[in-house]
Amino acid sequence: MVSGLFIGILFGGLLQSGQFCFVSGFRNILYQRNTRFLTALLIAVTIQSVGFFALESAGLLHIPEGNLPITATLAGGFIFGAGMVLAGCCGSGAWFRSGEGLTGTWIALFSFVVTMAAAQKGSLKLKGAFHFNTDWIENGPVWNLSEPDVIKNNLLKNGIRKDTPVVVYSENQMAALRVLWALKWAGVEDIRFLNGGLNVWMDAELPTETTLNIPVPVADFGAEIPVNPQATIAMPAEAIQAQKSGLKLISNRTWDEYTGKISGYDYIPRKGEPAGAIWGFGGKNANDMSDYYDPDGTLRNPEEIFALWKTQGIEPTDQVAFYCGTGWRASVSWFMTQLAGWENSRIYDGGWNAWQMDPALPVLNDIQSQKPAALNDYGEIIKKPGQSCKS
């Protein structure tokens, strides 16, 4: 508290001496062609960015992430801008001008503090849940699993040991299952999956919250990561070698991706599939696995999927490795095999993304002429993601 008070006084002094105010600053840029404020603003943003990410890298700060609500941001920005004009100052200006004795800014300052305090909420989530960023387990440009030490440090920062019970969920279920697979690879022993995710939870009118929960870090994972390296095939060379021993590469990409009509991603230039790939059903695009979902958004009975796979020559006793573009869609198929106890099931993590980076690697030429039917109507009858089936 004492250090915060000291820093606050110092920061207030800097604001007052520099007359750092967005209203007057932008007015000077527009009407006086004075860019002094713009220079100061860019310096402040640079220092803040470097400082925040340095603190996060050191494990001293957690920066929550989520989707940008564009409409709310634009509306809020307009309202805030109108308020600045009416008050004659911005948030920073209100602080030091109230100290200078400008009593009119006290009302603006009070309103600013109240509304800021009321807005300190995170995204809607299950009561007591913590946010887990998928960037903590994977990295570009291939988007394979990160190095073991990187994942270990991120798990520890989020309070996860090998014996920590974990329940994963998401709105798009691929994200949760991608994390589940990574945690299994790392060695977390008790991982559960909330079938249907946030949408189904809300449909059941179970408790949610927007409070930003911060996990308590732990010091030791309790095992050497990865405990289960057999859960993954990382790169094409390993996949090709395994194919020579009977491995079946199962594609969970869309039919148009599988048949070479599209690449499916704006950052993957080449079209095609690895040589020997078998289509294992998928969805309508790179963010969709609708062939695997029931109409309510939960996973289909695995036996239904296994029956579809059987028509493609995929059997429970086979050595199989599921893949897609970068691994998210493949996690859905892999998870179903884990529910049924398949012993030789993995994810080829590099997917088509890693394969297409090397033009010398063999590609699929003998492609099925007709798309197999998924015998499913998910998304055709009821809700789209984020809506309630009761609406």
Side-chain angles (χ1 to χ4, degrees), residues 14-356:
L14 290 173
L15 289 177
Q16 195 276 334
S17 62
Q19 293 293 295
F20 190 88
C21 175
F22 282 82
V23 174
S24 59
F26 281 109
R27 184 168 55 235
N28 291 341
I29 292 173
L30 292 173
Y31 296 110
Q32 299 178 14
R33 299 295 187 266
N34 186 339
T35 59
R36 179 170 173 261
F37 166 76
L38 181 61
T39 303
L41 178 62
L42 292 175
I43 292 173
V45 170
T46 301
I47 294 174
Q48 175 181 286
S49 299
V50 172
F52 266 90
F53 285 104
L55 290 171
E56 185 182 45
S57 298
L60 301 175
L61 179 70
H62 173 73
I63 302 177
E65 299 182 24
N67 296 326
L68 176 66
I70 296 176
T71 303
T73 300
L74 292 175
F78 178 80
I79 295 171
F80 187 74
M84 287 196 298
V85 173
L86 292 174
C89 62
C90 64
S92 58
W95 285 105
F96 69 78
R97 286 183 176 169
S98 62
E100 291 175 340
L102 188 60
T103 56
T105 60
W106 294 354
I107 299 174
L109 184 60
F110 175 77
S111 301
F112 183 72
V113 171
V114 170
T115 53
M116 281 294 293
Q120 295 304 301
K121 298 289 185 179
S123 8
L124 184 66
K125 59 183 179 296
L126 275 61
K127 193 172 181 61
F130 300 96
H131 172 69
F132 192 96
N133 193 327
T134 55
D135 287 347
W136 296 337
I137 58 166
E138 62 182 11
N139 66 92
V142 179
W143 294 108
N144 270 12
L145 286 174
S146 299
E147 291 298 320
D149 283 346
V150 173
I151 294 180
K152 177 183 176 181
N153 289 335
N154 286 327
L155 294 182
L156 295 180
K157 283 193 296 184
N158 284 277
I160 300 176
R161 291 173 38 87
K162 72 167 187 174
D163 56 357
T164 304
V166 177
V167 178
V168 294
Y169 76 94
S170 53
E171 184 172 359
N172 185 328
Q173 303 201 72
M174 297 186 300
L177 290 173
R178 174 71 169 172
V179 172
L180 185 149
W181 168 74
L183 295 181
K184 176 71 173 179
W185 169 86
V188 179
E189 297 168 343
D190 185 3
I191 323 166
R192 316 289 178 95
F193 171 65
L194 178 59
N195 193 10
L198 179 61
N199 291 329
V200 171
W201 185 273
M202 293 178 63
D203 288 343
E205 300 181 353
L206 294 170
T208 57
E209 65 178 3
T210 57
T211 303
L212 181 61
N213 300 311
I214 304 299
V216 178
V218 293
D220 179 49
F221 183 72
E224 187 70 25
I225 293 178
V227 174
N228 297 303
Q230 73 280 1
T232 182
I233 294 176
M235 295 298 283
E238 187 182 349
I240 292 172
Q241 188 61 37
Q243 282 180 304
K244 295 177 181 178
S245 301
L247 176 78
K248 292 182 178 180
L249 274 182
I250 315 298
S251 172
N252 288 129
R253 305 175 74 204
T254 67
W255 181 252
D256 283 347
E257 288 174 288
Y258 181 74
T259 55
K261 294 180 181 178
I262 60 173
S263 77
Y265 302 81
D266 56 8
Y267 57 88
I268 297 180
R270 292 180 60 200
K271 306 170 186 177
E273 292 279 22
I278 302 170
W279 196 59
F281 299 86
K284 298 178 176 65
N285 55 58
N287 295 310
D288 178 64
M289 278 290 281
S290 51
D291 289 349
Y292 284 72
Y293 299 150
D294 275 330
D296 65 353
T298 59
L299 294 178
R300 293 174 69 178
N301 187 321
E303 293 299 331
E304 295 180 16
I305 301 300
F306 300 158
L308 295 177
W309 288 351
K310 190 176 182 67
T311 66
Q312 296 293 93
I314 304 167
E315 301 286 349
T317 55
D318 291 335
Q319 295 183 52
V320 295
F322 300 95
Y323 76 94
C324 50
T326 60
W328 284 43
R329 288 176 282 179
S331 63
V332 179
S333 301
W334 172 84
F335 179 68
M336 285 194 165
T337 64
Q338 301 307 292
L339 292 176
W342 288 31
E343 296 180 354
N344 298 304
S345 173
R346 292 176 277 181
I347 287 180
Y348 159 47
D349 197 16
W352 173 245
N353 188 27
W355 202 284
Q356 61 89 35

